Structures are given as structure tokens and as C-alpha cells.
Amino acid sequence: MRIRFGECVLDTDARQLHCSGREVHLSPKAYELLKLLVEVRPRALSKTELVAQIWPGVFVSDASLARVVNEVRQGIGDSARDPQLLRTVHAFGYAFSGDASADPEPAAGRSSCWLVADERRFPLAEGEQTIGRDAAAGVCLESPRVSRHHARLVVRGARATIEDLGSKNGTFIGGERLDGPRELKPGDTIRIGPFSLVFAVGGAAGSTETEVLGL
């Protein structure tokens, strides 16, 4: 699910956070705290609840929790003195108080196609989506060598086509620069800027765990 708030987009499937068009890398605990508070918004969670869910079975001081909260605030551009997104509930805990909205899933649901990069994978939605540096792209690749709207994918069931969108550095399949739409075959390697992504269908994506992209 992709959740938008302020200048940020939180993608809970890909475990990615983008703010003002740039990927923000949070520590695992900070990411879990943000995800938890966003998902239960606007309900406030006590410090005890937060510690139990983020550090299960581990004793953690209030200072440790406060450090993680500060990391989240820095990542999403919020302020402890004038919080717009993550507020402190005095003598209790914390709550996500910003306006947030979830992007609807495509009507046809998810396809069986994937883009795989090392130990990371991107499930491709049925229909049309963009690959690029823009935070709203279906496949967001954070690099100055990637255009904001670099390439377009069109997925229909287990088939997909790709075309370059006039990017400065081009889109390559097997070392060949695209000059028009190309149907992808399982195992095709797409090179966009510094990223190499392998197209996979169905079980070909394996059981790779989705992670934050940091190639």
C-alpha cells in the first residue's frame, strides 16, 4: 500500500519512504514506528504499546524511543516544537496527526510480473506504470542518472512491454538502447542509470523479500 502525507509517500509493500521526491532511509526501528503510527492514525499509542510492538521482549528506555521518534521526524520533515505530522501526547505516547490518504489498488489487482534487483523485488501492477526518480513512480529509482519519468511499463497478465520516455541517459535491454516499445521476456535485464533489473514472471521472482531500494 502507498500512503501519502505532506510531501511524503510511504510504500509499505516496498518498505520505501520518499519525501519531496527523494528517498529517505530510516533505520528498521524508525521505519516500523512510522508505519505503525500511520496505520493506526489518528489513534494515539502509549509508549508501552510502541515498545512492545517495535522491541518485543526487550527492555527499552524512554530515551531510546524518543531517539527513534526524532529520527522519524527528521526523515519526514516534521518538528518536535511545531509538529504537523507526528505529535507527542503528553505523559502518554505518540500519534500520527497529519492528513494521509492511501492510493487505491488497481482494479485488476496485482499481476504475476516482477522486477528483481539483487535481493530486492518490485511487484508490477496490472496496467500502466512509470519507472523513474519521481516519488509517485510505480518503480521509483533514486539516482541523478535516472529521469523523473524515465520509462513506461504496460503489464497485461504475464506479459509486459517497456518503452523509454525520452530520458537523457536511455533505457537498455541486454545492452541495446531502446528506440521504441519492447516486449519483455522472462530473464531480460533492464538497465536504467546505475540500476540493473531483471524481468521475472510468476514464481520466477522466487521468495526474495521486498526491501528498501538502496543499490
Side-chain angles (χ1 to χ4, degrees):
M1 177 182 292
R2 292 162 64 87
I3 304 171
R4 299 176 183 273
F5 54 89
E7 298 296 322
C8 301
V9 178
L10 177 67
D11 189 329
T12 60
D13 292 328
R15 291 183 64 85
Q16 290 179 306
L17 173 67
H18 287 86
C19 295
S20 300
R22 298 187 62 83
E23 185 173 357
V24 177
H25 297 281
L26 297 177
S27 67
K29 298 301 183 185
Y31 174 85
E32 291 300 332
L33 183 139
L34 174 61
K35 177 176 178 288
L36 179 59
L37 290 177
V38 168
E39 288 180 339
V40 302
R41 67 185 189 280
R43 184 164 69 91
L45 294 182
S46 69
K47 295 178 182 179
T48 300
E49 289 178 290
L50 289 168
V51 168
Q53 295 199 50
I54 298 172
W55 290 274
V58 178
F59 173 78
V60 175
S61 67
D62 285 355
S64 296
L65 177 59
R67 281 195 294 271
V68 173
V69 170
N70 286 335
E71 180 186 348
V72 171
R73 283 180 169 146
Q74 291 178 6
I76 62 179
D78 206 18
S79 167
R81 291 188 175 183
D82 184 24
Q84 302 298 312
L85 298 172
L86 200 166
R87 68 183 177 92
T88 300
V89 182
H90 181 66
F92 181 75
Y94 300 92
F96 187 87
S97 56
D99 293 330
S101 60
D103 284 355
E105 291 290 335
R110 293 286 182 181
S111 77
S112 57
C113 300
W114 307 81
L115 290 180
V116 182
D118 293 333
E119 295 184 353
R120 303 166 179 87
R121 66 179 183 176
F122 298 91
L124 302 179
E126 183 81 7
E128 183 177 308
Q129 58 228 271
T130 302
I131 303 175
R133 196 175 72 247
D134 191 273
V139 178
C140 183
L141 304 176
E142 180 60 36
S143 168
R145 292 167 56 190
V146 177
S147 299
R148 288 177 61 83
H149 303 96
H150 198 106
R152 176 167 47 233
L153 282 166
V154 179
V155 177
R156 294 287 182 266
R159 302 178 65 179
T161 58
I162 186 171
E163 64 176 315
D164 187 78
L165 293 176
S167 65
K168 180 178 179 180
N169 294 318
T171 302
F172 297 80
I173 304 291
E176 179 183 350
R177 184 166 184 161
L178 292 181
D179 57 7
R182 172 81 66 86
E183 182 169 351
L184 292 169
K185 298 178 181 179
D188 277 350
T189 298
I190 305 165
R191 183 166 61 83
I192 293 179
F195 302 97
S196 292
L197 305 112
V198 178
F199 177 67
V201 176
S207 58
T208 307
E209 183 179 2
T210 303
E211 298 177 355
V212 174
L213 182 63
L215 303 179

